[in-house]
Amino acid sequence: MSTLIVYCHPYEKSFNHAILSMVKTNLNKQKQHFQIIDLYAEHFNPVYDKEELRLYHEGKTHDPLVTKYLTMLQNSSSIIFITPLWWNSIPGMLKGFIDKVMKEGAGLSHTVSSLGIHGELTNIKHTYVLTTSTSPKFYLQFFCGNAIKRVFINHTLKQLGMKRRHWRHWLHFGGITFAKLSKRQKYLNYIANYRFK
């Protein structure tokens, strides 16, 4: 099994893209096999239409990328999300990825019972979330309800069965707009040497 990178940014000269490059360098250095889902480059449509919503309850889809992405998830042992935070949350593109790709049904991403949601993606043993934002991290944590950790990491990804979502696996670069080049480079060096297991 390999590591799956879910990358969510439309601009190739963004700092997020530099982070992606460093993650790839890191994994290559560790001789880890990986695959990349580049949501914007692959023109993933995050919007539900009527037919997609109808098929959802059958665990089906009419979007071939949804089938492809779910198969990649099922064949991965680790996952790394790389995304900006826009308006204090994940972008609509990444939210749409979660909405459309995570299909209900045995052997898919999760099952639902009267006791709640049971995650089926237990094959993913290590989960990492790499984010950037204009706001500093303390603002997200203490003034915005810490939604990335409390909702996305501790609940959404947990409900899907993804393991090892420890708070240390959320790596955030805040204050990106006014960050000096030296600070950006220091962070990239940190990512280049981070131990993704």
Side-chain angles (χ1 to χ4, degrees):
M1 291 190 132
S2 66
T3 296
L4 180 62
I5 301 171
V6 179
Y7 176 66
C8 182
H9 202 288
Y11 186 43
E12 292 182 356
K13 294 183 179 180
S14 69
F15 191 63
N16 280 265
H17 198 271
I19 292 171
L20 172 64
S21 296
M22 282 299 143
V23 170
K24 289 162 59 178
T25 297
N26 181 318
L27 296 177
N28 281 324
K29 186 169 59 176
Q30 294 182 42
K31 295 183 171 41
Q32 288 193 41
H33 179 263
F34 63 89
Q35 294 181 292
I36 301 172
I37 293 174
D38 188 333
L39 294 171
Y40 282 96
E42 296 175 25
H43 305 289
F44 175 68
N45 179 5
V47 179
Y48 262 111
D49 56 30
K50 290 181 180 179
E51 182 62 8
E52 188 72 20
L53 188 58
R54 184 187 70 80
L55 291 170
Y56 172 83
H57 295 288
E58 301 174 20
K60 299 178 182 177
T61 181
H62 69 94
D63 184 340
L65 282 179
V66 169
T67 302
K68 174 187 172 183
Y69 293 164
L70 184 54
T71 299
M72 292 171 78
L73 283 161
Q74 292 169 327
N75 292 312
S76 299
S77 56
S78 297
I79 190 166
I80 303 171
F81 293 93
I82 303 174
T83 180
L85 300 181
W86 291 341
W87 292 105
N88 311 307
S89 187
I90 59 173
M93 177 67 89
L94 184 54
K95 180 63 167 65
F97 171 82
I98 299 294
D99 288 345
K100 284 183 68 176
V101 176
M102 306 308 170
K103 294 294 183 184
E104 178 184 342
L108 298 174
S109 73
H110 65 284
T111 53
V112 179
S113 71
S114 59
L115 299 175
I117 297 174
H118 173 73
E120 300 284 347
L121 295 176
T122 54
N123 53 287
I124 298 179
K125 306 299 183 185
H126 300 277
T127 305
Y128 304 89
V129 179
L130 281 58
T131 58
T132 61
S133 69
T134 299
S135 302
K137 189 173 184 177
F138 75 83
Y139 180 80
L140 298 170
Q141 289 177 308
F142 301 111
F143 295 95
C144 295
N146 210 5
I148 300 305
K149 179 185 173 188
R150 294 177 63 190
V151 178
F152 183 64
I153 297 172
N154 288 354
H155 288 279
T156 302
L157 301 183
K158 178 182 179 182
Q159 286 177 313
L160 293 168
M162 297 182 189
K163 306 295 183 185
R164 299 280 301 209
R165 302 165 319 279
H166 194 276
W167 64 268
R168 286 178 295 185
H169 293 176
W170 174 30
L171 308 178
H172 181 73
F173 189 95
I176 185 72
T177 304
F178 300 105
K180 293 181 179 179
L181 183 59
S182 59
K183 185 177 180 181
R184 293 178 182 226
Q185 191 57 55
K186 182 179 180 181
Y187 182 78
L188 292 176
N189 290 340
Y190 177 72
I191 295 298
N193 294 291
Y194 188 84
R195 188 66 180 169
F196 295 104
K197 295 185 178 180

